[in-house]
Amino acid sequence: MPGGRSDDERERARRERMARRGGSSTRSRTVDPRVQQALERRRLRTESNGGAPRERRPREPRQANFRLRRLFLLVFLVLGLVAAWFLVSLFQPFAGDPGARKTVTLKPGGIGDLASTLEDEGIISSSFFFQLRATVEGKRGDLKPGTYTLREDMKYTDVIAALEKGPPANTIQVTVPEGRSRSEIADAIPSLKGNYERATVKSPKLNPRRYGAKNAKDLEGFLWPSTYEMKRGQNVKLLVDKQLATFKKNFAKVSMSAAKSKNLTSYEVLTIASLVERETAVPRERKLIASVIYNRLSQDQSLGIDATVRFFTGNWDKPLTQSELQTPNPYNTRVNKGLPPGPIGNPGLASIRAAAKPADTDYLFYVANPCKPGTHTFHRTLAEFNAAAARYNQAREAAGGKAPKGC
């Protein structure tokens, strides 16, 4: 049309107007290529699904399989650790060197009893694995009872070999019970040569003065109670040497700090321990009885322990007479205050430890308990003591003059 604008001119004008207004339907925009790709994939999925959005596949089966594989792996690892522990316990590939020597008497019986004794004595670590190892090696029926000198924490194979071989020939076991005096020990070792009491007067193996014994007349208190393996007919001096060596080793384990704070020497602790050993048969009472001795010493009271009278009279079994109880002997703690001149026997480690560090009490008396034979009741005052003593004497009379056996 003459004088009019062409279509191209009109379209250009329209675009310019839209641009001035701030936008255009055909305005070019910068779009992230990744977004365009995502949109395109979504369009294709929609078209392939008939125009409907495509459902997402559930992932539960894949996650369940992963958890199951992890559970199987954990179970396998646990079973592997258990199997490794079992094999190590049975075959002991990492066992260290055995410990101290120890004399053990194995009584006739089944392998279960034998293994239990070995475990209780610390020779083996497990009765179960020892029996199993003996079974694996086919030696269950070859293990012989008897008395052996073994070591603590031995390998199962070494113990099996020793027990298969049997106890050594021509040997005897000399057992020295805790608390026994030199004279009592001498009567219990008839298979050795020599005079035990004479052999225990002094020895180059131990000097009592090093323990604070200024006027010790013999080695009473230093003769360690235990079981010793000896050859039949050996001289008793060899037994004494073993006892003194064992004493040194064990006494070194005891702390003397509490006793030293009370100005007591090691020899005086040994003396107290020998009294404790004779006065109780119940382990839990050792420290209590030691506390009574400490308390009476601190108050300058006589100890009144009849076992000291039995020591110098040699009367360990029969009732003490009034003349014996009144004998003015230095060991008579009814007549004399303070400790006796020395030990009245040879105490074990538990009594020595109780004597070195007694319980912290204010007890001054103890009386045999008629309701629980072998135990004592402990008291703070003389009135309590007299009442307890009256109850015991009444029970003794009811038992025909003998020690009561219960209430």
Side-chain angles (χ1 to χ4, degrees), residues 248-280:
K248 290 180 180 179
K249 179 180 178 181
N250 284 278
F251 194 77
K253 302 175 183 177
V254 183
S255 172
M256 290 288 151
S257 57
K260 288 180 179 178
S261 68
K262 302 294 184 180
N263 297 318
L264 294 173
T265 66
S266 296
Y267 191 62
E268 288 171 327
V269 170
L270 273 180
T271 301
I272 294 174
S274 70
L275 303 179
V276 171
E277 198 75 76
R278 284 290 187 176
E279 288 296 284
T280 183

Side-chain angles (χ1 to χ4, degrees), residues 34-47:
R34 289 176 296 181
V35 175
Q36 290 180 339
Q37 293 175 1
L39 293 173
E40 182 65 16
R41 286 196 299 269
R42 183 174 181 180
R43 184 184 65 80
L44 293 173
R45 284 198 302 267
T46 302
E47 291 177 354

Side-chain angles (χ1 to χ4, degrees), residues 318-351:
K318 299 178 182 178
L320 293 170
T321 64
Q322 285 299 316
S323 61
E324 289 174 327
L325 293 173
Q326 296 172 3
T327 302
N329 188 285
Y331 279 87
N332 191 337
T333 55
R334 284 200 174 198
V335 176
N336 305 292
K337 294 181 179 180
L339 292 172
I344 63 171
N346 298 277
L349 185 59
S351 291

Side-chain angles (χ1 to χ4, degrees), residues 35-107:
V35 175
Q36 290 180 339
Q37 293 175 1
L39 293 173
E40 182 65 16
R41 286 196 299 269
R42 183 174 181 180
R43 184 184 65 80
L44 293 173
R45 284 198 302 267
T46 302
E47 291 177 354
S48 64
N49 199 31
R54 186 179 181 182
E55 295 184 359
R56 181 176 295 180
R57 293 182 180 179
R59 296 185 179 181
E60 285 76 6
R62 180 180 298 177
Q63 294 176 352
N65 290 338
F66 175 75
R67 288 195 295 267
L68 188 60
R69 287 196 299 270
R70 188 169 58 180
L71 178 61
F72 284 155
L73 180 61
L74 180 61
V75 171
F76 181 79
L77 180 61
V78 171
L79 291 176
L81 291 174
V82 171
W85 168 81
F86 186 88
L87 293 174
V88 168
S89 299
L90 180 62
F91 294 100
Q92 301 175 296
F94 308 114
D97 295 332
R101 290 183 179 276
K102 198 168 189 179
T103 300
V104 180
T105 299
L106 304 175
K107 298 179 180 180

Side-chain angles (χ1 to χ4, degrees), residues 165-176:
K165 184 178 179 181
N170 196 33
T171 60
I172 59 172
Q173 304 302 315
V174 178
T175 299
V176 179

Side-chain angles (χ1 to χ4, degrees), residues 14 25 28 162 198 232 244 248 351 357 400:
R14 186 182 68 80
S25 59
S28 176
R198 189 180 301 122
R232 193 179 301 277
L244 297 178
K248 290 180 180 179
S351 291
K357 188 177 181 180

Side-chain angles (χ1 to χ4, degrees), residues 4-14:
R5 290 183 296 180
S6 64
D7 292 339
D8 292 340
E9 289 175 341
R10 285 195 294 272
E11 179 63 20
R12 189 180 305 111
R14 186 182 68 80

